[in-house]
Amino acid sequence: MDEKKIFQEQEFQELYRKRRLVSFVLTFLTMGIYIFFILLDAFDREIMAYKVFGGVTLGISMGIGVIIFSWILTGIYVVWANQKYDRQIESFRRKVGNIQ
Amino acid sequence: MNQSTLGQTNIISILFFFLFIALTLYITFWAAKKSKTASDFYAAGHSISGLQNGLALAGDFMSAASFLGIAGMVALTGFDGLIYSVGWLVGWPVVLFLIAEPLRNLGKYTFADVVAYRLRQKPVRVVAAFGGIVTVIFYLLAQMVGAGTLVKLMFGLPYEAAIIIIGGLIIAYVLIGGMLATTWVQIIKAALLLGGATVLALLTLARFGFHFGALLETAEQKFTINFLLPGGLVKNPLDTISLGLALMFGTSGLPHILMRFYTVPNAKEARKSVFFATGFIGFFYILTFILGFGAAILVGHDVILNIDKGGNMAALLLAEVLGGQVFLGYLAAVAFATILAVVAGLALAGASALSHDIYASVIKKGNPSEKGELKVAKYSTLGLGIVAIVLGILFKGQNVAFMVGLAFAVAASSNFPALLMSILWKKFTTPGAVASMLAGLGLAIILIILSPTIWVDVLKHPTALFPLKNPGLVSIPASFLVGILVSLVTREKEAGERFEAEIIQASLGAGGGK
């Protein structure tokens, strides 16, 4: 099967669109959370002083929270891509190979 | 703490450092036996696992500047240091979501492989290689000058001697052992640094009954609540966001980071490596935050400022207070090793831009003899090592802290937009790519010269002509815009036709659907 045909396969288009959507959503989520954190730091200093638990302020919990959350997002993406997405890609690749 | 032995010759430290050198040189010769081909030299024969590459990537970010610099910033400004370090971390998810996988599937050794995938090789390669080398040189310069100063502060070793030792060692690592040795030097250093920082953080927390809140409360009592709240860093939030954007997208445009994705066997391992790297780096920044607070309380601002105005010695002083001479010696040696490992990666990335992009792809039109390409790669490494030494000595005593910010700004504004558009956008053309990269590069450099960072702080003019300290907020969108506009007014039929092949290879891996 030539490249044009593979590209036009509906299954391939769906996989391609899905991965692009997941990538963009996660990228904007990361950016959004970071910018939200900076703006909150800049415009609502008082709320950052709020004690969440035992001496730990909201600001510090949020800063460490953004770090941990970013890591969790990479984990979600890797689990999705390495298991679900790759399996679908693999089955598509076999199918294309068979047609050939 | 009353006084420190920092700056005096520390036998323990020198011992640790020689141990590190012996171990890394042993690995270098082991790697040399396994490295024969160009793929071995540039990409460690694709033999590195996701976990190993994750440690190596993390090692590239846990540079002396981020370990000593961020700990110092937290020690002096408190919460601001945390805001700053968060900016360094958020680039990693972006690398994973947008770049790692297509890069691994489309390219061979450099990021320019991907930018030039379906465009005209000569102009795109030349400009991409140029952007890559400029990024590497700025980064390198900051590392070398910082290194010379640090080594002087830590060991009392003369500046020039430190620079020449570093230059000589990195040439040896890269020239003899290629990417395999460079990667293992970085892995060993990352493990030593993470281990050392973890022990130091535990020793700090032990002083506060292993209670994070108690550490913060003590700081609050000593320095008031302001120490736990946003301060000068977000006075102008646009400044912080501009820096944040440069850090966020710059990570996806750093040649020495991108090159590491070719060392793993496939896209699966490439993805995993970013997950591990983000985890290690995030953990490391949390440790650094604890160390900064520990240093502020247990060492005190006066002692920290007395040794170094920038606060760079805070973590080491804390090690001295909590672990004595042995621990100080260990950590100082690891900080030195850190510089070596990062500079070696930079030299290799710069050399590959010259040998793979310029020599092999442009001069030899993609058909070099493997021997010839390797030879050029090795001469380029030697050349870059010498450039690093010369620049290090030339810029002695200069304020080059802004160079890292500039390297990230150039990477984010020149390398990243072209890379992303070439992966995602069918109508991207050769003139569009060239214009986008040149506009990003030019704007990043010009705006930073006109910004308070250089115009006021270095050139001593009263007011800056460009208000933001980092150009990212303007130069990144401008580079995209120029790339889009120029691509829309130019047509490149072949580039559009090859887009489908590119997407298939990016999704299915090399060999496409075959």
Side-chain angles (χ1 to χ4, degrees), chain B residues 64-357:
Chain B
S66 77
F67 173 48
L68 301 174
I70 294 180
M73 192 169 170
V74 174
L76 295 179
T77 64
F79 186 65
D80 273 6
L82 183 65
I83 303 179
Y84 186 66
S85 60
V86 168
W88 287 84
L89 187 89
V90 288
W92 285 95
V94 177
V95 173
L96 173 65
F97 304 148
L98 297 179
I99 302 292
E101 180 177 337
L103 184 86
R104 178 67 192 83
N105 282 341
L106 292 171
K108 210 168 160 199
Y109 305 132
T110 63
F111 81 93
D113 284 340
V114 180
V115 182
Y117 184 89
R118 63 196 156 94
L119 304 177
R120 288 207 303 281
Q121 294 293 314
K122 196 171 164 184
V124 175
R125 290 267 183 188
V126 170
V127 178
F130 182 66
I133 289 169
V134 169
T135 315
V136 163
I137 297 268
F138 284 148
Y139 211 105
L140 193 78
L141 184 55
Q143 294 290 326
M144 292 303 277
V145 176
T149 318
L150 284 179
V151 171
K152 203 174 157 210
L153 274 172
M154 290 188 299
F155 306 100
L157 196 69
Y159 180 93
E160 283 81 3
I163 296 283
I164 291 169
I165 291 175
I166 294 170
L169 279 170
I170 59 125
I171 291 172
Y173 293 150
V174 180
L175 214 56
I176 301 169
M179 184 52 121
L180 189 58
T182 307
T183 303
W184 276 102
V185 169
Q186 192 63 280
I187 291 173
I188 291 171
K189 172 221 100 178
L192 291 175
L193 184 55
L194 273 170
T198 306
V199 171
L200 190 53
L202 286 176
L203 289 175
T204 306
L205 287 174
R207 289 284 182 107
F208 300 90
F210 289 101
H211 198 296
F212 184 55
L215 171 75
L216 300 180
E217 270 171 349
T218 313
E220 187 180 336
Q221 281 155 17
K222 202 168 172 189
F223 307 106
T224 78
I225 185 77
N226 283 329
F227 199 65
L228 308 192
L229 291 178
L233 195 70
V234 287
K235 276 234 170 63
N236 181 356
L238 278 186
D239 245 344
T240 310
I241 290 174
S242 193
L243 173 70
L245 288 180
L247 294 176
M248 194 174 231
F249 297 117
T251 309
S252 300
L254 290 175
H256 65 295
I257 297 285
L258 298 177
M259 198 175 175
R260 291 210 179 279
F261 290 108
Y262 298 119
T263 65
V264 292
N266 51 43
K268 242 187 181 62
E269 294 297 313
R271 293 184 197 118
K272 271 195 225 162
S273 61
V274 187
F275 171 71
F276 288 123
T278 314
F280 287 131
I281 297 168
F283 176 64
F284 182 71
Y285 286 152
I286 295 171
L287 292 178
T288 314
F289 185 67
I290 296 173
L291 301 188
F293 266 72
I297 297 166
L298 300 170
V299 179
H301 285 167
D302 295 340
V303 177
I304 296 172
L305 285 169
N306 208 5
I307 296 228
D308 174 55
K309 281 198 301 279
N312 285 313
M313 293 297 121
L316 295 178
L317 290 166
L318 181 67
E320 193 179 7
V321 170
L322 294 174
Q325 288 299 309
V326 177
F327 200 43
L328 170 68
Y330 169 80
L331 222 57
V334 173
F336 196 8
T338 287
I339 301 160
L340 279 178
V342 173
V343 176
L346 287 166
L348 183 53
S352 60
L354 288 171
S355 57
H356 180 65
D357 294 327

